[in-house]
Amino acid sequence: AVQAGDRRGGEEEDAMQDGHFAFAQAASVLLGAYLVGTTVLGSAVKLSDAASYALFGVTVLLLLAPLAIPVKMTLFRKKKPTLVEPPASAEEEPLLIPSDLPPADEDSEKVDVLLAEGEGAVVKRKRRPRRGEDFKFTEALVKADFWLLWFGYFIGVGTGVTVLNNLAQIGAAAGIADTTILLSLFGLGNFLGRLGGGAISEKFVRSVLLLPRPIWMSLTQTVLAVAYLCLAYALTPGVVYACAAVVGLCYGVQLAVMIPTVSELFGLKNFGLFYNLMAVANPLGAVLFSEELAGRLYDGEAARQRHSGGHPHACIGPECFRVAFVVLAGCCALGTAVSLVLAARIRPVFRALYAGGSFRLPNSNQQH
């Protein structure tokens, strides 16, 4: 009776936590969508002071919405059911085992081996860690999996941050006067990508498919390649708005997938070092793709237009970023191939971790 009550109580608590988590995430998504909507509305029509204050008040309410969870838990506490203890058994095992019992043969052999190791008679060779175990920093650096993951992540976030850094120029080249909406769409997509990318990859890695997380990096990089080609050859305001949201979404997925993949492959002991090395891919990609590639090509096309009597301070037209976007699309195609190779290499790791339920979250058979 006690075990059944504990099980029911644990299930109810898990369901309550899942509900609270879903409420917090739904409130966050609603807030993001609301902010983008108000940005679009403010750009389309001139709002009065009263309307602006009302919209701001709704924003504050949405920001405070997650506080409803602790308020609910405080005001509506659930009483714990009274558990009936089972009657004490007449025959109970002793709490302490007498120490004068002779040791088993196995224990004697282990003691002999330990004594031999201490005296130097046995030299125990240190085994290198396998995937999924705790790696030292230097041990991870010589693994192909680490650099495949780093390179795939570098392509995804490097090309994405290039669009982010040049959104104003891209919008101006497409004839968009106010680029505030572009930034809002990219930010909303980035938020949804980080939130949804982690949830979806977690769902599928624990399903019967056992899809490795890098699959989602390869899928989003394929989408990025298509978006860059659209920006290269169909640079219109509608395409720019849509691609800003899509690129932001795929950009967010890269980070959401990279973090758990690093921990699952190389352990948590030195996770901080691994994460920081992965994070270098973002500024490095910004320097190479944004400044050296897109920036130089944009400046060259802008100078050519000025000499031809064009706009004195900006570059207008699809030629401003066409070559850069084609190169970015090619890089994403390469990144897709790299992520697929990584997914194929590490599939046995995910099969070992999640085939019978995660080693971190036991399945129902293990719990009961």
Side-chain angles (χ1 to χ4, degrees):
V2 176
Q3 292 180 354
D6 289 342
R7 190 180 304 120
R8 282 195 301 271
E11 291 174 353
E12 291 177 359
E13 186 175 353
D14 291 343
M16 183 178 63
Q17 291 178 354
D18 291 343
H20 292 166
F21 179 77
F23 175 79
Q25 301 307 315
S28 301
V29 172
L30 182 61
L31 174 62
Y34 176 78
L35 291 176
V36 173
T38 54
T39 302
V40 174
L41 182 63
S43 300
V45 297
K46 184 174 179 57
L47 300 174
S48 63
D49 291 342
S52 299
Y53 287 135
L55 293 175
F56 176 73
V58 176
T59 302
V60 173
L61 290 177
L62 290 175
L63 284 171
L64 297 177
L67 291 178
I69 297 174
V71 171
K72 168 182 171 287
M73 296 179 68
T74 303
L75 298 180
F76 303 97
R77 290 184 178 180
K78 201 167 187 180
K79 294 183 179 180
K80 295 183 179 180
T82 305
L83 303 178
V84 180
E85 295 290 340
S89 174
E91 296 181 359
E92 293 184 352
E93 295 183 358
L95 296 178
L96 297 177
I97 300 175
S99 59
D100 55 351
L101 294 178
D105 294 339
E106 258 184 57
D107 295 336
S108 300
E109 291 177 3
K110 290 180 181 178
V111 171
D112 293 339
V113 172
L114 291 175
L115 290 174
E117 287 180 1
E119 295 173 358
V122 177
V123 179
K124 191 174 181 181
R125 297 184 62 183
K126 187 177 180 182
R127 180 180 63 82
R128 292 183 179 181
R130 298 188 179 94
R131 293 168 178 154
E133 298 177 349
D134 287 327
F135 278 72
K136 293 181 179 178
F137 186 66
T138 53
E139 291 171 338
L141 291 182
V142 297
K143 291 296 182 181
D145 295 339
F146 184 88
W147 293 109
L148 287 172
L149 179 60
W150 187 92
F151 186 77
Y153 179 68
F154 165 73
I155 294 293
V157 298
T159 59
V161 78
T162 300
V163 174
L164 175 60
N165 291 344
N166 294 277
L167 263 182
Q169 290 82 358
I170 294 171
I176 300 174
D178 187 3
T179 58
T180 306
I181 298 177
L182 288 178
L183 292 171
S184 299
L185 289 173
F186 187 98
L188 178 62
N190 185 17
F191 165 71
L192 294 177
R194 297 190 184 205
L195 180 65
I200 293 174
S201 68
E202 189 72 13
K203 177 73 174 178
F204 279 88
V205 81
R206 297 178 185 274
S207 68
V208 294
L209 298 176
L210 293 172
L211 283 181
R213 298 186 197 273
I215 287 290
W216 301 102
M217 295 179 68
S218 64
L219 178 62
T220 51
Q221 287 174 13
T222 302
V223 175
L224 283 174
V226 174
Y228 295 148
L229 290 177
C230 291
L231 290 172
Y233 294 102
L235 192 68
T236 60
V239 170
V240 173
Y241 283 127
C243 288
V246 169
V247 173
L249 179 72
C250 298
Y251 177 79
V253 170
Q254 303 298 311
L255 180 67
V257 171
M258 178 274 291
I259 293 176
T261 304
V262 170
S263 67
E264 288 161 342
L265 289 180
F266 306 107
L268 294 172
K269 186 175 181 180
N270 296 298
F271 174 77
L273 289 173
F274 300 143
Y275 173 76
N276 286 326
L277 182 56
M278 288 286 173
V280 172
N282 199 316
L284 184 60
V287 171
L288 294 180
F289 292 124
S290 181
E291 182 178 349
E292 296 298 325
L293 175 65
R296 289 182 181 275
L297 291 174
Y298 178 88
D299 291 341
E301 179 62 24
R304 189 189 67 79
Q305 290 186 9
R306 281 198 301 270
H307 294 155
S308 302
H311 197 285
H313 303 296
C315 182
I316 306 299
E319 294 82 8
C320 302
F321 290 97
R322 175 167 292 165
V323 176
F325 281 132
V326 171
V327 173
L328 294 182
C331 291
C332 284
L334 178 60
T336 299
V338 169
S339 298
L340 287 175
V341 171
L342 176 63
R345 284 174 57 92
I346 66 176
R347 175 128 197 197
V349 180
F350 288 91
R351 188 180 295 114
L353 290 179
Y354 299 109
S358 172
F359 66 95
R360 298 184 182 89
L361 296 175
N363 60 9
S364 57
N365 294 331
Q366 292 171 332
Q367 287 178 341
H368 308 324

